[in-house]
Amino acid sequence: MRPINKYIIIKEIKEELKTSTGLLLSAEDSDKFRYKKGEVIAPGTEVTVINKGDKVYYDKRAGHSMLVDDNPVTIILERDVVVVL
């Protein structure tokens, strides 16, 4: 599968969120964060800054999810990426 234009295929990375004192946050508390972490599976044909394999933070309300080969992925636009790690 190859995305076109400014679309990016992302695989979400599940991470345990901790407070500064080391306490793990519950799923309910972690849902309050606006951004999710993911790995870029494939950048679109017009995406120039983000590459395959990059870890990114993106707006969790952006894009849509789908199954590709029984694996859940999220399709977002380049503008929804806020940080490239």
Side-chain angles (χ1 to χ4, degrees):
M1 177 181 351
R2 185 179 62 182
I4 58 172
N5 295 324
K6 296 279 187 176
Y7 286 97
I8 302 171
I9 300 174
I10 302 285
K11 178 182 175 187
E12 183 181 345
I13 297 173
K14 302 283 185 185
E15 57 183 352
E16 292 182 333
L17 299 174
K18 296 181 182 182
T19 64
S20 60
T21 58
L23 294 173
L24 290 176
L25 296 176
S26 68
E28 182 179 301
D29 289 333
S30 63
D31 283 341
K32 294 178 185 176
F33 289 101
R34 182 171 176 174
Y35 302 105
K36 287 184 177 180
K37 185 176 183 181
E39 180 179 355
V40 176
I41 302 301
T45 55
E46 294 182 17
V47 177
T48 58
V49 177
I50 301 168
N51 300 306
K52 181 179 179 176
D54 283 349
K55 306 281 192 284
V56 297
Y57 280 100
Y58 62 97
D59 190 336
K60 72 177 181 181
R61 292 174 267 191
H64 56 277
S65 298
M66 61 187 290
L67 286 176
V68 176
D69 298 327
D70 294 325
N71 296 314
V73 295
T74 302
I75 312 297
I76 63 170
L77 284 168
E78 182 180 28
R79 69 174 181 233
D80 298 320
V81 174
V82 292
V83 176
V84 177
L85 303 173

